[in-house]
């Protein structure tokens, strides 16, 4: 319906040379919905009988990315790529990623090989950010290799560079298994010092590159998007360390006589783990005023793509996904989250790409990031010496996705 003239029309889309859906036929003006329905029903069979060449637009630059035809032998492929590319368990993720590849540009020409091999996690992280930015209504410019995204919405344009927390490497050149917190006190120690150092290394590497000095970035809010892939399931417990490191503040809870909770923020000078030590407060470091914000999520993973693909009706029809995890308790007097378990086929279940996205705003930013650009994200600000959070509800703090398949498929997976 044309909301101005209150009349009706239709548009038929078909894939162009690159596999993107483009307009191939537009109706006339119809005074009623019924008239438009009849005209569309008559036109659709005519369009469907045309050869694919009839839908070519003649203005297509480049080709769609073929992410799943192997470029290297199986023994050189990343284990998670093998999991994604084979079998029904992650078929929804595989199909939605293949669809995204039709509209995803590869400015440096290395995306497919990286995605299949050692760069799988970092490339998956880029695909996640691409999905978030499209969902949040940005127009993307991927003509430049650095930074990863120039994104515009309305009159505002921002630059985003993606990075990941990667496994440590031993003297033999092989990845080192990360520490595993067995007790609450082990987890507290890792969050206090180990994880800030892990987050700090890639953030400082991006700081040293000074992408904000590039001609196409000058004067724009510049953000770094970081995700934790340094070990299996580490993203399920590591996220709270990022806030402490960025702002240089540690949140401490104390019970009150009436059974409630009080809290305060204590300054942190440095983080030390074994032989490594770094200053706390990334936003207070030299040159960091050029970083408007740090974006983070613990959900830029295959289970996220699997759920989002299934919600869009991709994937094997007999695969069921159950999401279990913790959701933020909105009661300010409670430090205990809700436990949730839900079948994503439940009509009450809703999920968007940006649901778990967190944006940490730099209080010293030269060009601040407008929080209205990411309405679905959770935003963190430093206000009056405290970290204030403005959350998009419901806020999943962490989750796992159970995959249920018919017994015949279980053996093959």
């Amino acid at each position: 319906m044309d909301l101005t003239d209150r009349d009706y029309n239709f548009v038929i889309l078909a894939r162009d040379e690159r596999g993107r859906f483009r307009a191939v036929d537009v109706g006339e003006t119809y005074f009623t919905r019924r008239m438009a329905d009849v005209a569309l029903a008559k036109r659709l069979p005519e369009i469907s009988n045309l050869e694919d060449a009839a839908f070519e637009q003649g203005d297509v630059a480049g080709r769609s990315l073929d992410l799943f035809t192997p470029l290297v032998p199986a023994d050189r492929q990343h284990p998670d790529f093998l999991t994604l590319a084979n079998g029904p368990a992650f078929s929804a993720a595989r199909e939605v990623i293949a669809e995204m590849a039709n509209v995803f540009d590869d400015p440096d020409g290395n995306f497919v090989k990286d995605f299949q091999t050692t760069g799988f996690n970092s490339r998956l992280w880029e695909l996640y950010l691409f999905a978030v930015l499209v969902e949040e209504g940005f127009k993307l410019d991927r003509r430049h290799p650095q930074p990863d995204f120039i994104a515009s919405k309305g009159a505002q344009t921002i630059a985003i560079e993606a990075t990941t927390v990667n496994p440590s490497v031993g003297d033999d050149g092989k990845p080192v298994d990360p520490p595993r917190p067995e007790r609450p006190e082990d987890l507290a120690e890792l969050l206090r010092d180990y994880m800030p150092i892990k987050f700090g290394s890639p953030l400082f590497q991006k700081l040293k590159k000074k992408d904000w000095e590039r001609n196409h970035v000058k004067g724009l809010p510049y953000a770094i998007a970081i995700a934790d892939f340094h070990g299996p399931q580490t993203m399920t417990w590591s996220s709270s360390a990022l806030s402490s490191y960025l702002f240089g503040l540690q949140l401490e809870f104390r019970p009150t006589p009436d059974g409630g909770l009080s809290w305060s923020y204590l300054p942190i000078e440095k983080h030390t783990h074994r032989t490594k030590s770094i200053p706390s407060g990334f936003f207070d470091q030299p040159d960091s005023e050029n970083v408007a914000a740090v974006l983070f999520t613990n959900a830029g993973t295959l289970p996220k793509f699997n759920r989002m693909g299934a919600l869009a009706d991709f994937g094997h029809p007999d695969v069921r996904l159950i999401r279990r995890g913790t959701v933020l308790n909105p009661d300010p007097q409670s430090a205990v989250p809700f436990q949730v378990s839900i079948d994503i086929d439940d009509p009450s279940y809703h999920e968007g790409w940006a649901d778990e996205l967190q944006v940490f705003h730099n209080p010293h930013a030269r060009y601040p990031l407008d929080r209205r650009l990411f309405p679905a994200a959770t935003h963190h600000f430093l206000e009056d010496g405290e970290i204030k959070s403005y959350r998009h509800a419901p806020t999943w703090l962490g989750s796992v996705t159970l995959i249920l398949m018919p017994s015949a498929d279980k053996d093959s997976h």
Side-chain angles (χ1 to χ4, degrees):
M1 175 190 284
D2 183 328
L3 297 180
T4 300
D5 298 331
R6 313 299 293 182
D7 52 22
Y8 295 82
N9 205 335
F10 65 78
V11 179
I12 299 176
L13 309 178
R15 294 186 187 273
D16 66 8
E17 302 96 307
R18 190 170 162 177
R20 299 172 298 182
F21 281 104
R22 306 273 294 275
V24 296
D25 195 68
V26 180
E28 302 173 0
T29 297
Y30 306 98
F31 296 111
T32 68
R33 166 67 182 267
R34 174 62 179 165
M35 293 174 64
D37 285 343
V38 171
L40 176 60
K42 179 180 179 181
R43 186 62 176 143
L44 270 175
E46 299 171 359
I47 293 291
S48 299
N49 288 329
L50 296 176
E51 298 292 332
D52 290 346
F55 306 135
E56 295 180 358
Q57 301 281 342
D59 62 350
V60 175
R63 298 180 301 170
S64 61
L65 300 182
D66 182 359
L67 295 177
F68 294 103
T69 298
L71 295 182
V72 298
D75 60 354
R76 291 178 54 196
Q77 294 172 17
H78 193 282
D80 289 342
F81 172 77
L82 288 170
T83 298
L84 171 65
N86 300 285
F90 286 92
S91 56
R94 181 168 64 248
E95 291 177 22
V96 76
I97 288 173
E99 191 66 46
M100 292 166 64
N102 292 326
V103 294
F104 188 82
D105 293 318
D106 176 21
D108 59 17
N110 299 321
F111 194 94
V112 176
K113 186 175 181 180
D114 290 347
F115 184 74
Q116 295 184 6
T117 56
T118 56
F120 176 82
N121 290 324
S122 61
R123 294 307 195 176
L124 188 72
W125 177 228
E126 287 183 47
L127 285 173
Y128 168 82
L129 292 171
F130 171 77
V132 166
L133 291 169
V134 170
E135 182 183 74
E136 293 285 73
F138 286 93
K139 180 180 179 181
L140 303 181
D141 179 355
R142 293 268 293 171
R143 291 175 296 172
H144 307 281
Q146 288 91 28
D148 293 301
F149 298 97
I150 302 294
S152 301
K153 182 188 289 190
Q156 300 188 67
T157 301
I158 62 175
I160 301 175
E161 174 69 3
T163 189
T164 55
V165 180
N166 299 317
S168 300
V169 178
D171 295 336
D172 57 0
K174 296 181 179 180
V176 176
D177 290 335
R180 297 177 181 272
E182 303 290 344
R183 303 169 300 170
E185 51 266 36
D186 297 334
L187 177 59
E189 181 180 352
L190 292 174
L191 293 175
R192 184 174 59 249
D193 293 308
Y194 171 77
M195 276 313 307
I197 292 174
K198 293 296 292 183
F199 280 121
S201 178
L203 288 174
F204 263 106
Q205 290 300 316
K206 293 301 180 183
L207 204 62
K208 290 192 296 186
K209 290 189 175 182
K210 300 186 177 184
D211 279 337
W212 57 83
E213 294 183 350
R214 300 178 186 275
N215 289 333
H216 61 285
V217 182
K218 287 181 179 179
L220 301 180
Y222 169 79
I224 302 175
I226 189 168
D228 175 19
F229 290 101
H230 86 281
Q233 301 297 317
T234 55
M235 69 284 294
T236 62
W237 55 263
S238 65
S239 60
S240 61
L242 181 60
S243 178
S244 298
Y245 169 62
L246 293 176
F247 293 110
L249 295 172
Q250 179 67 47
L251 179 63
E252 289 201 355
F253 288 96
R254 294 181 301 276
T256 59
D258 61 359
L261 287 174
S262 66
W263 62 87
S264 61
Y265 284 94
L266 302 178
I268 308 171
E269 291 186 3
K270 62 181 180 179
H271 303 280
T272 301
H273 180 75
R274 296 179 180 172
T275 61
K276 292 185 178 180
S277 183
I278 64 170
S280 190
F282 175 78
F283 288 145
D284 296 322
Q285 303 308 311
D287 277 340
S288 67
E289 69 275 7
N290 296 292
V291 179
V294 171
L295 279 58
F296 171 82
T297 185
N298 59 7
T301 57
L302 284 182
K304 176 72 172 184
F305 283 85
N306 220 24
R307 295 193 305 270
M308 295 301 292
L311 288 171
D313 287 334
F314 289 108
H316 193 290
D318 295 329
V319 172
R320 290 180 57 206
L321 303 178
I322 309 294
R323 189 179 189 185
R324 291 180 179 175
T326 54
V327 174
L328 180 74
N329 187 337
D331 182 357
Q333 292 298 315
S334 176
V336 180
F338 292 123
Q339 299 289 329
V340 176
S341 179
I342 187 169
D343 189 324
I344 70 164
D345 288 331
D346 189 309
S348 67
Y349 183 79
H350 301 281
E351 183 175 358
W353 286 103
D355 280 3
E356 302 88 357
L357 183 68
Q358 300 185 57
V359 182
F360 298 88
H361 293 261
N362 186 350
H364 314 300
R366 179 171 295 166
Y367 302 105
L369 182 70
D370 189 340
R371 62 175 287 195
R372 293 172 297 181
L373 293 175
F374 292 91
T378 296
H379 295 266
H380 307 280
F381 296 87
L382 184 63
E383 299 177 357
D384 300 324
E386 295 186 350
I387 302 171
K388 300 294 180 63
S389 300
Y390 301 85
R391 301 185 182 275
H392 170 70
T395 302
W396 285 80
L397 301 177
S399 69
V400 296
T401 302
L402 305 182
I403 302 174
L404 306 180
M405 297 183 292
S407 57
D409 291 331
K410 289 180 180 177
D411 293 338
S412 64
H413 178 61

